[in-house]
Amino acid sequence: MRLALGIEYDGSAFAGWQWQPDKRTVQTALDTALGRVADREIRAVCAGRTDAGVHALEQVVHFDTEVRRKPYSWLMGTNTHLPDDVRVLWVREVVEDFHARYSAIARYYRYVILNRPMKSALHRRQLTWHSASLDAGAMQAAAHYLIGDHDFSSFRAQGCQSKSPRRYMHFIHVRREDGDRVVVELCANAFLHHMVRNIAGVLIEIGAGKRPPEWAAEVLAARDRAQGGVTAPADGLYLGGICYPEPFGIARHPIFQHLPAHARRYTPDRE
């Protein structure tokens, strides 16, 4: 039996998603909790590994088991054994050919910037703080240059292990929210290591008036990480949701309504 789960977590105190020896990771916490319910070892596969300090509104994972439990029992039992900064939101049985990573059509990330003179006392690790005023309109104009099928080498971490730097960016929405927050929403068929944070770093430079919107196109065309500016902090980054073909029955975040009809899963090589 294959089960899929939706996971929410605050990444502030984690060394990222993936298991690492002697470090606190989301995968370790989840696998341990699932194992307690199953009374045997469980190893879950996620839709997209997140770095240290990165949060998730809805990470999707799957795992295989011969243990029979009702979805409600998996849900409540797993949450009982999870730390307070991780929660399973839903559980459902899926067909055997569903894969949390390889079945995905698109991923959605949300980057939130607190744009005011003072830092937050309440959201120190959940928002990226930028004191100088940001022009969300200029950031949106810059984001336009990144839409479509591109080589995103300028926006990938130097240690990125992806075989191909090409990704299809479906949309980037930038807006000011609640007066003092600038929200950047990005949706692509897949993302490279640090891609969202590197794009956010470029957009922040442009929003602060240090560069014109056209600089985003220049950085993209350079295909050189050295031309891409700083990597924005992890604090304000959230994995917002994963989009799967409708036959799998996984509910979609409303933002995926903006996906074009031609959206397809990332398949240049099964990384």
Side-chain angles (χ1 to χ4, degrees):
M1 178 174 63
R2 178 162 291 189
L3 293 173
L5 292 74
I7 313 294
E8 174 186 82
Y9 51 86
D10 179 340
S12 302
F14 288 102
W17 165 267
Q18 191 171 13
W19 180 89
Q20 300 176 57
D22 303 320
K23 291 189 177 181
R24 186 174 189 259
T25 70
V26 182
Q27 183 179 26
T28 301
L30 179 63
D31 288 354
T32 300
L34 288 169
R36 295 281 296 274
V37 177
D39 197 25
R40 64 192 64 186
E41 183 176 343
I42 297 288
R43 181 58 63 94
V45 178
C46 73
R49 294 188 295 269
T50 52
D51 290 335
V54 177
H55 318 293
L57 302 176
E58 190 179 42
Q59 169 77 270
V60 176
V61 309
H62 81 262
F63 68 93
D64 295 323
T65 182
E66 297 177 353
V67 176
R68 290 287 172 177
R69 302 277 190 274
K70 293 181 179 180
Y72 182 80
S73 298
W74 282 110
L75 176 69
M76 300 306 295
T78 303
N79 280 330
T80 297
H81 297 295
L82 282 171
D84 289 342
D85 43 4
V86 186
R87 278 293 171 271
V88 178
L89 303 176
W90 52 264
V91 179
R92 64 169 297 137
E93 186 172 352
V94 290
V95 293
E96 290 186 2
D97 62 349
F98 171 84
H99 194 284
R101 183 178 182 189
Y102 297 129
S103 298
I105 295 173
R107 284 98 170 149
Y108 154 55
Y109 278 89
R110 177 180 173 93
Y111 195 84
V112 187
I113 306 162
L114 179 64
N115 188 209
R116 70 183 193 189
M118 293 298 142
K119 292 183 178 180
S120 172
L122 303 177
H123 305 287
R124 298 185 301 278
R125 303 294 299 276
Q126 287 77 38
L127 303 172
T128 290
W129 175 63
H130 195 276
S131 60
S133 180
L134 295 174
D135 182 344
M139 295 168 72
Q140 181 66 74
H144 173 76
Y145 295 105
L146 306 180
I147 305 305
D149 184 4
H150 298 292
D151 179 331
F152 282 95
S153 292
S154 294
F155 296 97
R156 70 189 298 189
Q158 291 186 351
C160 180
Q161 298 178 357
S162 175
K163 297 180 180 67
S164 170
R166 299 203 71 88
R167 296 293 187 270
Y168 197 104
M169 184 70 72
H170 292 298
F171 58 80
I172 303 177
H173 299 157
V174 185
R175 68 179 185 277
R176 185 167 288 277
E177 190 175 90
D178 299 329
D180 61 4
R181 298 186 186 188
V182 174
V183 178
V184 184
E185 295 177 316
L186 309 91
C187 181
N189 59 353
F191 287 87
L192 300 162
H193 190 205
H194 283 177
M195 181 173 162
V196 176
R197 291 170 61 190
N198 291 334
I199 289 174
V202 166
L203 296 182
I204 288 171
E205 287 279 295
I206 291 168
K210 297 179 180 179
R211 301 274 192 166
E214 294 76 19
W215 183 53
E218 296 172 10
V219 171
L220 179 68
R223 300 180 183 181
D224 179 6
R225 177 64 200 128
Q227 305 300 314
V230 301
T231 300
D235 299 336
L237 181 56
Y238 297 78
L239 173 57
I242 314 294
C243 182
Y244 296 100
E246 291 185 358
F248 287 125
I250 306 295
R252 296 180 175 183
H253 189 286
I255 201 166
F256 290 124
Q257 296 175 5
H258 298 287
L259 273 177
H262 63 75
R264 296 292 183 272
R265 66 189 181 94
Y266 177 69
T267 55
D269 41 44
R270 266 204 160 204
E271 301 176 29

